[in-house]
Amino acid sequence: MDVMAKTSTTTQGLRAAIERSGYYPALVAEAVEAAVGGEPMRSFLVHQETTFDQNEVRRHVTVLVLTEHRFIVSHTDEQAADNTSPTPYATTSTESVKLGRISSVVLSRVVANPEQYQPGTLPREVVLTIGWGAVSRIDLEPAACGDPNCEADHGYTGSSTADDLSLRVSEAGDGPETVRQALAFAQALSEATADITR
């Protein structure tokens, strides 16, 4: 398959996945397509999430796209009417990150009955965490020494974690095809970032 045919198939697959999500597909597709521009797509993932906020149900969709040179992330959230808008509204944002800026791609897999695991079995859920330095979390705690009677001030110790994006996809909540797509996207992104460092 040549590059143009593959790009066309990937574009059609992305549009179909956005339509299947049923979450403001025209709005989401326009934002993602504008961010991608004419660059060929290598892989994508569409993830819709429903959350419960007190007595309200809120929906949210995240679209991830991998191109030859960039990682694009799009978030769309819906909001109820408030003092800034008399009608419900949606907010869509896109971020374009050069592949060279991605510092980590973490894929956690949860499998049932690990003693019976067979290679190729679909995980029950996956968590994809991608870091590129836009958001960092610092966890600090008082430092201590091994002496239980020591009252000296040892300063602080802690860790810094890059945690720009984290998505949880489960077979029960999102379906097996979305889990497969998350695994494929994670592999494509890992390979793309490895190519940059060579």
Side-chain angles (χ1 to χ4, degrees):
M1 182 181 290
D2 65 24
V3 173
M4 288 300 285
K6 184 176 182 200
T7 299
S8 175
T9 302
T10 305
T11 301
Q12 291 170 355
L14 174 60
R15 284 188 189 138
I18 290 171
E19 289 285 336
R20 270 193 311 276
S21 80
Y23 185 82
Y24 308 120
L27 174 65
V28 173
E30 181 180 58
V32 171
E33 289 170 5
V36 171
E39 196 172 353
M41 286 186 284
R42 295 168 69 172
S43 186
F44 66 86
L45 174 62
V46 176
H47 180 252
Q48 183 189 328
E49 185 175 23
T50 302
T51 57
F52 300 94
D53 182 15
Q54 294 174 358
N55 59 351
E56 291 182 13
V57 176
R58 293 182 187 249
R59 296 182 304 159
H60 171 90
V61 70
T62 301
V63 179
L64 309 179
V65 177
L66 174 63
T67 70
E68 291 297 317
H69 305 287
R70 298 178 297 148
F71 164 66
I72 297 164
V73 57
S74 173
H75 295 287
T76 303
D77 293 288
E78 63 183 359
Q79 306 292 331
D82 57 24
N83 58 1
T84 64
S85 175
T87 60
Y89 60 98
T91 304
T92 299
S93 63
T94 56
E95 183 174 0
S96 176
V97 181
K98 290 182 181 178
L99 287 180
R101 286 194 50 213
I102 294 179
S103 56
S104 66
V105 178
V106 181
L107 181 68
S108 301
R109 301 168 189 241
V110 177
V111 297
N113 303 312
E115 70 281 355
Q116 299 171 6
Y117 179 78
Q118 296 291 321
T121 302
L122 200 62
R124 185 172 67 193
E125 68 180 60
V126 297
V127 178
L128 175 60
T129 305
I130 304 165
W132 59 91
V135 177
S136 292
R137 185 179 70 240
I138 298 176
D139 296 316
L140 294 176
E141 61 184 40
C145 67
D147 181 359
N149 297 320
C150 180
E151 295 180 10
D153 182 357
H154 294 287
Y156 289 88
T157 184
S159 61
S160 175
T161 308
D163 194 8
D164 296 304
L165 175 73
S166 188
L167 284 180
R168 177 184 171 271
V169 179
S170 71
E171 187 176 19
D174 304 294
E177 188 52 40
T178 304
V179 174
R180 280 189 197 90
Q181 190 69 40
L183 291 169
F185 184 85
Q187 181 175 349
L189 184 58
S190 291
E191 290 171 356
T193 56
D195 288 345
I196 294 295
T197 59
R198 288 182 189 155

